[in-house]
Amino acid sequence: MVRRPLPRILSNGTAQLARSRELARTAADNATDVLHPLITVTRGLRRLASAGRHKWAETPKDKRGPLLFLVASVVLVVALVPYGPLLAVITLMAASAWHGRDRTPPPPEGPDESQTQRLQSLYKALVPYFSAAEDPAPLYAHGGEWEKAFLSHEFDDAGRIGQLLIRYPAYFPDGEPGARARIEYLLTAKSGRGREYHFAWDEEGNRLTVTALAPLPTDIAAQRFVTAPGETVLGFTDPGEVQRTLPLTYGEEQRDVPPVVWRTGARSTEPHLLVMGRPGSGTSTLLRSVALQALQHGDVLIVEGGGTGEYACLSGRDGVLAVECGLAGALASLEWAAHETERRLIALNRARQAGHPPPEDCRRPLWILLDRPGSFVHLAAANGQQDPQALLQTPLRHGRAANVTVVVAEHLDSTDAVSEALRQHTHARVVLGPALPDELEAALGAPPHTTPLTQMPPGRGYARMGHGPVLRLQVPATPDPYDDATSDADRQAVLELLPPRSEPVERAVPVEAAVAEG
């Protein structure tokens, strides 16, 4: 079947909508500037008319006649005086402009008393780190002025620091991770805990920008994402971190949210993924989300080491080769995957030597998903069998050429059970849930530019593609639809994404109907 290209509105519609919004906003601002005098005069006339009606309503009925006579006399005198109507119109316009002016009080210049005390306290806390006894003109000193050190500052509605631009002396060792970590920890404690802060160090200008980040949306449900083949949406991040947005459905409305896209295939630089996190952090949710996206264009093989039945909803579906929970089934499935990778390599090599295009069965992606493979390590050693991770060496080493992708999820407490081959060939990393800074740096290869929280919602964490930056990540809600704790909306969203069953209809078990009735 010939694959139709995406409609043009889906490929570049987001950029066109952004440009259209910007043009409309610019046109509205220009029109407001041009029509500002007319708007002011009209507002003043309306206020004068309202004041006149109010004055007429307050006038007693026995005095309304003399008042009308007085007004008529004034109008007659103005009409008979030379240039009287013109002067009356000018006076009316001037009065309307005066009464129609913007009476909104200007914002106070500078911080208020509580904000000043907060900035002064922060300045005093930074003095021991940004001062030296040999400095003849210290920027930070006890009793110094914080206005020279803090170039700009913003506060949120709660009175806490929202953004702060800090100057620091040139001799501060901003290239040392330890020195940076001490300053970031201090600023996090003094600016208000319970929020994530982004730290942008400018080593050339000796400036540090601290920004309090808004929490990532947690109400994004599983859905079809507008992506090309070979692209997998791991989750969503901050708007300024990526140069792309995806249209997402929030009930009846639609928003554009920046995604974290992982690219696989022959041209991918990170063909395999390693997911780590605490229990309950959402690692299985991420694997389910990846499986539902992979089934659109390829086949999926799932090996679950936890034995909790998290992937029972995928059993017997089109494109799902197997869902194994036992050691024997895991060994058999992974051995077949290794042989399948070798077969694809041989077939592709023969096709290239003969000058033929790649065979159709070699172009369809094969996904190997392993959830907690470390659970099989002790079981395999006790039974004298091979560790299932040893069978992943061929798919990991030659998976990009054979169009085979390996995704592994493991708990942070069991990272020592992850084989060396998995560590070497999984350059795309995701860490979900609360983790220590040392654990994040060891797992991702670089520390995040934000302060990790001690309490995170399920599916929150960090992602890094190869040698790229560390991004905040929120995984779309993809729970087990057969779990009683799953809400009806999330259950229905996942069930709609499941492929049809492979068995005949008369032998298939109507699980969705049973869940709906239960």
Side-chain angles (χ1 to χ4, degrees), residues 8 81 158 166-167 173 238 247 298 340 372 415 428 501:
R8 192 175 184 83
V81 172
I166 302 175
R167 287 178 56 196
D238 298 300
E340 174 64 13
R372 297 187 62 189
T415 51
R501 289 193 170 274

Side-chain angles (χ1 to χ4, degrees), residues 39-328:
I39 295 173
T40 303
V41 171
T42 303
R43 187 190 304 120
L45 289 174
R46 186 172 64 252
R47 290 177 179 175
L48 288 176
S50 176
R53 288 194 302 269
H54 185 69
K55 182 67 176 177
W56 177 261
E58 291 182 349
T59 303
K61 292 184 179 181
D62 56 342
K63 295 183 179 181
R64 291 183 179 180
L67 180 61
L68 286 176
F69 178 77
L70 178 62
V71 171
S73 301
V74 173
V75 172
L76 180 61
V77 171
V78 170
L80 295 177
V81 172
Y83 303 103
L86 179 60
L87 293 175
V89 171
I90 294 176
T91 303
L92 180 61
M93 292 298 102
S96 301
W98 174 257
H99 285 278
R101 70 188 187 279
D102 189 7
R103 300 181 181 181
T104 304
E109 297 182 359
D112 55 21
E113 183 178 357
S114 62
Q115 295 173 355
T116 302
Q117 292 179 358
R118 185 180 290 269
L119 293 174
Q120 185 68 29
S121 174
L122 185 60
Y123 173 82
K124 293 179 180 179
L126 292 173
V127 168
Y129 300 93
F130 286 154
S131 62
E134 299 82 5
D135 193 349
L139 181 61
Y140 290 82
H142 295 287
E145 300 178 356
W146 62 265
E147 292 86 353
K148 297 180 180 180
F150 301 156
L151 301 181
S152 64
H153 47 80
E154 295 179 5
F155 291 85
D156 57 10
D157 298 335
R160 296 188 298 179
I161 294 177
Q163 188 173 17
L164 186 64
L165 179 58
I166 302 175
R167 287 178 56 196
Y168 58 88
Y171 51 77
F172 177 74
D174 52 5
E176 299 179 4
R180 286 191 177 191
R182 287 191 295 269
I183 298 299
E184 293 175 0
Y185 179 80
L186 174 64
L187 292 174
T188 301
K190 292 296 184 180
S191 301
R193 297 183 183 272
R195 298 186 297 173
E196 287 188 88
Y197 296 90
H198 181 271
F199 299 94
W201 292 83
D202 181 11
E203 293 88 349
E204 296 181 358
N206 298 322
R207 297 184 179 185
L208 170 61
T209 303
V210 184
T211 306
L213 299 176
L216 295 176
T218 58
D219 55 348
I220 302 178
Q223 54 190 283
R224 293 295 182 199
F225 303 116
V226 185
T227 55
E231 292 183 344
T232 303
V233 176
L234 300 180
F236 305 93
T237 185
D238 298 300
E241 298 296 332
V242 294
Q243 301 178 355
R244 178 179 178 180
T245 58
L246 288 181
L248 300 180
T249 302
Y250 285 80
E252 298 181 354
E253 61 176 324
Q254 195 173 28
R255 306 181 205 169
D256 292 339
V257 181
V260 178
V261 178
W262 172 42
R263 293 173 177 84
T264 58
R267 294 179 177 86
S268 173
T269 56
E270 302 87 22
H272 308 295
L273 174 68
L274 177 60
V275 183
M276 290 171 284
R278 305 288 183 188
S281 60
T283 55
S284 299
T285 298
L286 178 55
L287 259 65
R288 265 191 302 270
S289 177
V290 171
L292 292 176
Q293 298 179 62
L295 287 172
Q296 299 181 58
H297 310 287
D299 300 325
V300 175
L301 172 63
I302 301 175
V303 176
E304 181 188 359
T308 57
E310 294 273 352
Y311 307 93
C313 59
L314 297 171
S315 298
R317 303 283 179 174
D318 288 345
V320 180
L321 303 179
V323 178
E324 299 292 345
C325 300
L327 177 60

